[in-house]
Amino acid sequence: MKTEECHFAEACARQFLNVANQWGIVDKISTIGTDSAPNMVAAGRILPFEHLPCVAHVVQRAIVMSLREGGFDGALAKCRKVVGHFKHSPANSDELNVQQASLGQVQEPLVQDVPTRWNSSLEMIKRVMRNRDALHTTLSQQKQNLALPTNAEYEKLAKLEKLLEPCSVGGDKYVSCSVVLPALCHLQYAMKISDDDPAYIVRFKAAFTKDLNQRREKINLEWLKVATALDPRFKDLKCLPRAEREPVWAKLSELVKGEEPALQPLGEENTEPPKKKTALLLMGSDSESVEETPEDNTVERYKVEPSASLDQCPLKWWSEHTAVYGKMAHIARKYLGTPATTVPCERLFSLAGHIVQKRRSSLSPENVNKLVCLSDWWKKEK
């Protein structure tokens, strides 16, 4: 949207509410996702929605900081120069394609890494490693002064590729909010220092673990814990310390009983009064009671359900179990529907940056919106 205000927290919060009001979705919003910029975090505190910082930003910042500590700058700088040599010249790119074809490889372009672009360092390393022979052959036939990575640097890049592989962040085509804590737990395991690690890997792992732990405390852990518990694949909560598991179930029980109206599923009114404490005492009785309600043991019944397989969609699982769990299924839809990353939105911002250029600075906001939509739709049609 066109804005003439400085991006202070209050102005950003006002813009978010204006968009929500124009689209008529204020009563349907449960969370708002942004990057971790201070003004965005402050705006999230002002707004009447739960704020979830983008996990992709968190992981990417930890990677950037760790690359500096790990001593990979020299090898990565050489890769960037080689990639730029081919990206900025169609003729050079064509020569590389010829070499790729002669070696029986897929003709693919190289990828330039950018500090603010997720997974770009990993993709650059992968492409350079896959096309190592084609790159050397092509450059040997040209007059240039590029310094290619040495064998020792290629070895460092191969180790870095293995380190960055678990850090690959996606999430725009599947439920992502409930996967964050298990993924971060896996990252902690992958970054454990072993006796066989060279010094530069030890420095990278130590820096990554320290930076990620500092940022982890600022990503709305309470919301993510409940989302993880509501995912039938991860409801054992093994990604959390044992001492933190029971409070999550207690929180979920409160949500199901309707004791926290602000956190109830939006659009659904709680017409039942809060359950009396005496009802909890009757739950242990063998006799049936007219005051006992399905909500009293919903969470316990869910806990003993067999865990779903990792390839099963949690939203489909809840759709099939809505009749059994009722209100809990609506809460699951609210939590699991929250995306953990703003990467798809950021890609649209990048697309808008390609459309609005110096030579097209007179485009009206309405035409920019139309061009962005047309470009996005055209890609999907192709």
Side-chain angles (χ1 to χ4, degrees):
M1 292 183 61
K2 180 183 179 181
T3 176
E4 297 178 357
E5 295 179 282
C6 293
H7 291 175
F8 296 122
E10 295 79 5
C12 294
R14 218 168 24 247
Q15 281 281 52
F16 293 147
L17 287 176
N18 288 340
V19 172
N21 286 322
Q22 288 178 16
W23 285 78
I25 57 174
V26 173
D27 295 334
K28 299 179 181 180
I29 298 175
S30 59
T31 55
I32 181 167
T34 69
D35 59 22
S36 298
N39 59 336
M40 293 292 102
V41 175
R45 288 196 295 264
I46 298 173
L47 291 166
F49 316 119
E50 287 284 338
H51 179 233
L52 196 66
C54 175
V55 178
H57 278 88
V58 172
V59 176
Q60 180 66 18
R61 289 304 303 162
I63 291 173
V64 172
M65 297 299 294
S66 305
L67 288 175
R68 297 172 185 169
E69 296 292 332
F72 293 98
D73 292 342
L76 290 174
K78 289 182 179 180
C79 288
R80 294 186 189 107
K81 289 182 179 179
V82 171
V83 172
H85 175 75
F86 290 97
K87 294 285 286 184
H88 299 152
S89 171
N92 293 337
S93 181
D94 290 340
E95 290 183 28
L96 177 61
N97 290 336
V98 171
Q99 289 298 328
Q100 288 171 336
S102 65
L103 294 172
Q105 297 178 346
V106 177
Q107 293 182 334
E108 58 181 359
L110 301 178
V111 174
Q112 184 75 67
D113 78 327
V114 180
T116 56
R117 187 176 298 163
W118 304 270
N119 307 329
S120 60
S121 296
L122 175 61
E123 289 303 318
M124 181 182 72
I125 294 170
K126 282 183 174 180
R127 298 288 176 96
V128 170
M129 297 293 287
R130 278 202 301 262
N131 295 281
R132 178 176 176 178
D133 294 336
L135 287 170
H136 278 255
T137 303
T138 304
L139 291 175
S140 65
Q141 299 173 358
Q142 297 177 349
K143 293 182 179 180
Q144 42 74 32
N145 296 319
L146 286 176
L148 291 166
T150 63
N151 290 334
E153 288 174 328
Y154 274 121
E155 184 179 347
K156 290 181 70 172
L157 291 173
K159 290 183 179 295
L160 180 59
E161 181 182 346
K162 291 182 179 180
L163 284 175
L164 295 182
E165 193 67 49
C167 303
S168 181
V169 179
D172 54 338
K173 296 185 182 297
Y174 55 85
V175 173
S176 57
C177 192
S178 60
V179 184
V180 172
L181 295 183
L184 293 181
C185 183
H186 175 67
L187 276 180
Q188 294 283 359
Y189 177 79
M191 294 298 167
K192 282 186 177 180
I193 298 173
S194 66
D195 296 335
D196 299 330
D197 289 335
Y200 60 89
I201 294 296
V202 172
R203 292 195 300 269
F204 179 91
K205 288 183 175 180
F208 182 90
T209 302
K210 179 181 178 181
D211 193 83
L212 187 63
N213 286 337
Q214 292 174 347
R215 299 177 188 275
R216 182 179 182 272
E217 302 302 320
K218 302 176 183 179
I219 57 173
N220 201 339
L221 287 176
E222 295 305 314
W223 185 275
L224 294 175
K225 288 177 182 178
V226 176
T228 306
L230 286 167
D231 191 322
R233 302 170 297 175
F234 308 114
K235 64 186 183 68
D236 53 18
L237 297 181
K238 290 182 179 179
C239 58
L240 297 177
R242 292 183 182 275
E244 297 182 15
R245 297 175 188 176
E246 197 54 40
V248 177
W249 295 116
K251 176 78 171 180
L252 187 54
S253 297
E254 291 178 359
L255 291 174
V256 174
K257 293 171 186 175
E259 293 181 359
E260 295 187 3
L263 293 178
Q264 288 181 2
L266 298 176
E268 178 180 304
E269 296 183 359
N270 183 27
T271 56
E272 299 181 5
K275 302 296 179 297
K276 297 181 179 180
K277 293 183 179 180
T278 53
L280 297 177
L281 300 176
L282 295 174
M283 287 179 62
S285 173
D286 293 333
S287 60
E288 295 183 358
S289 171
V290 293
E291 294 184 12
E292 193 174 54
T293 59
E295 286 85 355
D296 290 328
N297 62 351
T298 299
V299 175
E300 293 301 322
R301 285 189 288 112
Y302 170 69
K303 287 172 67 175
V304 298
E305 280 269 5
S307 297
S309 60
L310 291 178
D311 58 350
Q312 186 171 357
C313 175
L315 293 180
K316 186 177 181 181
W317 189 95
W318 278 107
S319 177
E320 296 170 350
H321 292 76
T322 300
V324 178
Y325 291 105
K327 184 177 179 181
M328 191 173 176
H330 290 283
I331 297 174
R333 180 178 62 181
K334 170 185 174 181
Y335 276 81
L336 298 180
T338 301
T341 171
T342 60
V343 170
C345 300
E346 296 284 351
R347 286 173 180 159
L348 282 179
F349 296 157
S350 299
L351 175 63
H354 294 154
I355 292 173
V356 183
Q357 301 174 353
K358 291 181 179 180
R359 296 181 179 181
R360 310 177 75 186
S361 58
S362 297
L363 283 171
S364 66
E366 293 76 14
N367 285 335
V368 171
N369 289 340
K370 292 176 182 178
L371 289 171
V372 170
C373 288
L374 286 173
S375 179
D376 186 55
W377 295 340
W378 176 253
K379 289 182 179 179
K380 290 179 180 179
E381 284 294 327
K382 293 172 68 176

